Amino acid sequence: MNLKQLSELLGLSQTTVSRALNGYPEVNEATRERVLQAVKETGYRPNKAAQRLATGKAGSIGLVMPTAPGHQSDVHFGEFLAGLGEEAVRHDFHFVIMPADPDDEVAALRRLAISGNVDAVFVAYMRGHDPRLAMLKSLSMPYVVHGRSFGSEPDYPYLDIDNEGAFYDATRLLLQLGHTRFALMNGPMHLDFAIRRRNGVISALAERGLTLEEGCMSHALMTDEQGLLAMEHFLQLPERPTAILCSSTVLALGAIRAVNQAGLRLGEDISLIAHDDVLPLLKPENFSVPLTTTRSSLRAAGVRIAQRLIGTVKHAGPFPDQELWKTELIVRASTGPAPRP
Amino acid sequence: MNLKQLSELLGLSQTTVSRALNGYPEVNEATRERVLQAVKETGYRPNKAAQRLATGKAGSIGLVMPTAPGHQSDVHFGEFLAGLGEEAVRHDFHFVIMPADPDDEVAALRRLAISGNVDAVFVAYMRGHDPRLAMLKSLSMPYVVHGRSFGSEPDYPYLDIDNEGAFYDATRLLLQLGHTRFALMNGPMHLDFAIRRRNGVISALAERGLTLEEGCMSHALMTDEQGLLAMEHFLQLPERPTAILCSSTVLALGAIRAVNQAGLRLGEDISLIAHDDVLPLLKPENFSVPLTTTRSSLRAAGVRIAQRLIGTVKHAGPFPDQELWKTELIVRASTGPAPRP
DNA sequence: GCGGTCATCCAAAGCGCTTTCAATTATGTA
DNA sequence: TACATAATTGAAAGCGCTTTGGATGACCGC
């Protein structure tokens, strides 16, 4: 069933039927009713491809999913997607996901954008001086970035959390508890959030005249294995750190395993604060020693970004171009006073 | 830049350019070279919407993502998606993800299929007597199902793992170790895999004249919390089970927490075998007591399903309609001889 | 009774591509 | 040399929808 058939069935022109369907005012209410009724009976659905060709609108937002044979799928990604989805479903939008090799993201993003398959794109895993920004700006397609790009002019639409503030506050808490030997277990160094978190830690330490040694910093993929390795390394240092800042509860998972294996007690010998993206799988309160965390829901960020993207496409009101969310610092049992030497 | 402009630029007809681009044989090689060169220089990309309208092919596969405000995002889903993506990227396919309320999946699937946005669909989280099967069959669109539907005629294309066999074998192993009191921690009862796994356990037990009490079975969402709750319940039974079969490493996470909290030792007081979907986040060998598991990679299943789907759309050779993968039973430290009474 | 305003509706022109049917030229064959 | 055959290329007809630019009456005020 297509428009032509439907209009013939009704004895109307395609024009009128199309207008009735799309809520144009210049069609008689009685006629509109008749059309709507016929749609119900026949189960007519407009062909999206044709609609898109005619209007240029696709009703979908696009994103690039980094993936490769060896590439670990990222829980964070799934959680974010769930947030996007939650909002998209309310507006009858869908996503187009373009899987791409992580090395090929710029090109993949461009392909996606000019494919005509999407009305807007969303970009995550921002890096310092991210090359995608220039590309996005040249594209004249709505976009929102999750995170920011350190070193780039902040003149693009983004939603980010205050990573620096979060880790600054967390570090201050540990300082107040008397800790003096710190270590930071971070995400890959080229990623924006990792840069800012490190800066947060460093500036809080600097206020007390402390510094973060190179050996007390790890930058790695946020997997539990890397957490284990990093922590094992920290624990073997001559001046073993007593305060650990950790960029993810996933890293914390491995880190705590290392702590246990070393026969140390979390919250007593070692204090640890992790950033919590509110992954359903990894609740900080469910760790054997509940984790002190800086919290910000990744899923909520997904919802918000979808809102902004879809809103922009639909020309529904203006949206703030830049949003910076504060995180919460939630104290649980994994932090305690620095052990007496 | 569109086809018309490109063809004018080249002094050729749209027909010839189109054919050159799509690899038709009836175009002179020299001409084809010239066209390809021009494409490079101009950066021309065919408009997908137009292509789709003309051919009816979309170059994408669709799937429904269950999601809702309260709905927990599922790690299993993300992992599967990664597998699909890995294969899709090789063929320049993308996905269209339609987020939908879990109660609305049949309708969402239908909408997706007839939207014209996808060439094939994929369906997961199969249930007993799944109503989506009838719908899919009526659709005349290629599809592959992950899992099967207990109680339905197996005349649809699927990829499944031998859930019954896996849990049968696991149960037998525990029987051989001398266990006699069993419990099963399963996924939601309406899901096909849960039904089959339960049957596997029951039939292995039956061979020894044993049965699985109603109280020794839990059917719940596969989250660590549910694992904790279920295990706490099991541990309070008068005849406490010593052998636990567990449908997911995620459930096991919570279950083991309960075991530890009760002061029991895994692998000694309690033996546990979990099914391992090979989630990067949850490696059985990284548990404090490494887990004995039945293993089958969810990601590999994703890759394979994408292969079949894309292959079918591209008319690339015939594919087996039904595949049943065996699982591996890998013994680690979480299983041991039944404790002496 | 006439120009003017509304309220409705329609014919037809795209949107950018693929594909059928035909035309044109080059190549071989008798 | 004349004719069948193969190799290339094009014109034009869709694919199913939206939208522009009129029609066609009905209704009004003068």
Short mmCIF file of all heavy atoms in Angstrom, two decimals, chain A residues 71-91:
data_model
loop_
_atom_site.label_atom_id
_atom_site.label_comp_id
_atom_site.label_asym_id
_atom_site.label_seq_id
_atom_site.Cartn_x
_atom_site.Cartn_y
_atom_site.Cartn_z
N HIS A 71 39.05 -5.53 19.59
CA HIS A 71 38.60 -4.42 20.44
C HIS A 71 37.59 -4.87 21.48
O HIS A 71 36.56 -5.43 21.17
CB HIS A 71 37.97 -3.36 19.54
CG HIS A 71 37.66 -2.08 20.24
ND1 HIS A 71 36.42 -1.78 20.71
CD2 HIS A 71 38.44 -1.03 20.55
CE1 HIS A 71 36.45 -0.59 21.28
NE2 HIS A 71 37.66 -0.11 21.19
N GLN A 72 37.89 -4.58 22.72
CA GLN A 72 36.96 -4.93 23.78
C GLN A 72 35.73 -4.06 23.70
O GLN A 72 35.82 -2.86 23.59
CB GLN A 72 37.63 -4.67 25.13
CG GLN A 72 38.70 -5.67 25.48
CD GLN A 72 38.70 -5.97 26.96
OE1 GLN A 72 37.90 -5.39 27.69
NE2 GLN A 72 39.56 -6.86 27.38
N SER A 73 34.59 -4.70 23.79
CA SER A 73 33.39 -3.88 23.85
C SER A 73 33.38 -3.22 25.22
O SER A 73 33.84 -3.76 26.20
CB SER A 73 32.15 -4.75 23.67
OG SER A 73 31.84 -5.41 24.87
N ASP A 74 32.82 -2.04 25.24
CA ASP A 74 32.94 -1.21 26.42
C ASP A 74 31.58 -1.12 27.13
O ASP A 74 30.60 -0.72 26.53
CB ASP A 74 33.41 0.18 25.95
CG ASP A 74 33.75 1.08 27.11
OD1 ASP A 74 33.40 0.73 28.24
OD2 ASP A 74 34.37 2.13 26.87
N VAL A 75 31.55 -1.51 28.37
CA VAL A 75 30.28 -1.40 29.10
C VAL A 75 29.77 0.02 29.12
O VAL A 75 28.57 0.26 29.10
CB VAL A 75 30.38 -1.80 30.59
CG1 VAL A 75 29.75 -3.14 30.81
CG2 VAL A 75 31.78 -1.72 31.12
N HIS A 76 30.69 0.96 29.18
CA HIS A 76 30.28 2.35 29.23
C HIS A 76 29.48 2.72 27.99
O HIS A 76 28.49 3.44 28.06
CB HIS A 76 31.50 3.27 29.36
CG HIS A 76 32.36 2.97 30.55
ND1 HIS A 76 33.38 2.05 30.51
CD2 HIS A 76 32.33 3.44 31.82
CE1 HIS A 76 33.95 1.99 31.72
NE2 HIS A 76 33.33 2.83 32.53
N PHE A 77 29.91 2.18 26.88
CA PHE A 77 29.22 2.46 25.63
C PHE A 77 27.78 1.95 25.67
O PHE A 77 26.84 2.65 25.30
CB PHE A 77 29.97 1.81 24.47
CG PHE A 77 29.36 2.06 23.13
CD1 PHE A 77 29.61 3.24 22.46
CD2 PHE A 77 28.52 1.12 22.55
CE1 PHE A 77 29.03 3.47 21.22
CE2 PHE A 77 27.94 1.36 21.32
CZ PHE A 77 28.20 2.54 20.65
N GLY A 78 27.61 0.74 26.13
CA GLY A 78 26.28 0.16 26.20
C GLY A 78 25.35 0.97 27.10
O GLY A 78 24.19 1.18 26.78
N GLU A 79 25.89 1.42 28.18
CA GLU A 79 25.07 2.16 29.13
C GLU A 79 24.64 3.50 28.54
O GLU A 79 23.51 3.94 28.69
CB GLU A 79 25.89 2.39 30.41
CG GLU A 79 25.15 3.05 31.53
CD GLU A 79 23.96 2.26 32.03
OE1 GLU A 79 23.81 1.10 31.62
OE2 GLU A 79 23.18 2.81 32.82
N PHE A 80 25.56 4.12 27.86
CA PHE A 80 25.25 5.39 27.22
C PHE A 80 24.17 5.21 26.16
O PHE A 80 23.21 5.96 26.06
CB PHE A 80 26.52 5.95 26.59
CG PHE A 80 26.36 7.37 26.20
CD1 PHE A 80 26.67 8.37 27.11
CD2 PHE A 80 25.87 7.70 24.97
CE1 PHE A 80 26.49 9.69 26.77
CE2 PHE A 80 25.69 9.02 24.62
CZ PHE A 80 26.00 10.01 25.52
N LEU A 81 24.32 4.16 25.39
CA LEU A 81 23.37 3.84 24.33
C LEU A 81 21.97 3.66 24.90
O LEU A 81 20.98 4.11 24.32
CB LEU A 81 23.82 2.56 23.65
CG LEU A 81 23.30 2.27 22.27
CD1 LEU A 81 23.67 3.39 21.33
CD2 LEU A 81 23.84 0.95 21.76
N ALA A 82 21.92 3.02 26.04
CA ALA A 82 20.62 2.80 26.67
C ALA A 82 19.96 4.14 26.97
O ALA A 82 18.75 4.30 26.81
CB ALA A 82 20.79 1.99 27.95
N GLY A 83 20.76 5.09 27.40
CA GLY A 83 20.22 6.42 27.68
C GLY A 83 19.72 7.10 26.42
O GLY A 83 18.61 7.62 26.37
N LEU A 84 20.50 7.06 25.40
CA LEU A 84 20.08 7.62 24.12
C LEU A 84 18.76 6.99 23.68
O LEU A 84 17.83 7.67 23.27
CB LEU A 84 21.12 7.34 23.04
CG LEU A 84 22.42 8.14 23.01
CD1 LEU A 84 23.33 7.61 21.91
CD2 LEU A 84 22.14 9.61 22.78
N GLY A 85 18.73 5.68 23.80
CA GLY A 85 17.56 4.94 23.36
C GLY A 85 16.31 5.32 24.12
O GLY A 85 15.25 5.50 23.54
N GLU A 86 16.47 5.45 25.39
CA GLU A 86 15.33 5.78 26.23
C GLU A 86 14.64 7.05 25.75
O GLU A 86 13.41 7.14 25.73
CB GLU A 86 15.85 5.97 27.66
CG GLU A 86 14.78 6.24 28.67
CD GLU A 86 15.40 6.49 30.04
OE1 GLU A 86 16.40 5.82 30.39
OE2 GLU A 86 14.90 7.39 30.74
N GLU A 87 15.43 8.00 25.34
CA GLU A 87 14.86 9.26 24.88
C GLU A 87 14.37 9.14 23.43
O GLU A 87 13.31 9.64 23.09
CB GLU A 87 15.91 10.37 24.98
CG GLU A 87 15.43 11.74 24.55
CD GLU A 87 14.37 12.32 25.45
OE1 GLU A 87 14.21 11.81 26.59
OE2 GLU A 87 13.67 13.25 25.04
N ALA A 88 15.16 8.47 22.62
CA ALA A 88 14.83 8.36 21.20
C ALA A 88 13.47 7.71 21.00
O ALA A 88 12.69 8.13 20.15
CB ALA A 88 15.91 7.58 20.47
N VAL A 89 13.20 6.71 21.81
CA VAL A 89 11.96 5.97 21.62
C VAL A 89 10.74 6.87 21.86
O VAL A 89 9.69 6.67 21.28
CB VAL A 89 11.92 4.73 22.55
CG1 VAL A 89 11.73 5.12 23.99
CG2 VAL A 89 10.84 3.77 22.11
N ARG A 90 10.91 7.88 22.65
CA ARG A 90 9.79 8.80 22.91
C ARG A 90 9.46 9.66 21.70
O ARG A 90 8.39 10.23 21.61
CB ARG A 90 10.15 9.75 24.06
CG ARG A 90 10.37 9.05 25.36
CD ARG A 90 10.30 10.03 26.53
NE ARG A 90 10.78 9.36 27.73
CZ ARG A 90 11.92 9.65 28.34
NH1 ARG A 90 12.67 10.64 27.92
NH2 ARG A 90 12.29 8.97 29.42
N HIS A 91 10.41 9.79 20.81
CA HIS A 91 10.19 10.68 19.67
C HIS A 91 10.15 9.93 18.36
O HIS A 91 10.25 10.53 17.30
CB HIS A 91 11.31 11.73 19.63
CG HIS A 91 11.38 12.57 20.85
ND1 HIS A 91 10.61 13.69 21.02
CD2 HIS A 91 12.11 12.44 21.98
CE1 HIS A 91 10.87 14.22 22.19
NE2 HIS A 91 11.77 13.49 22.80
#
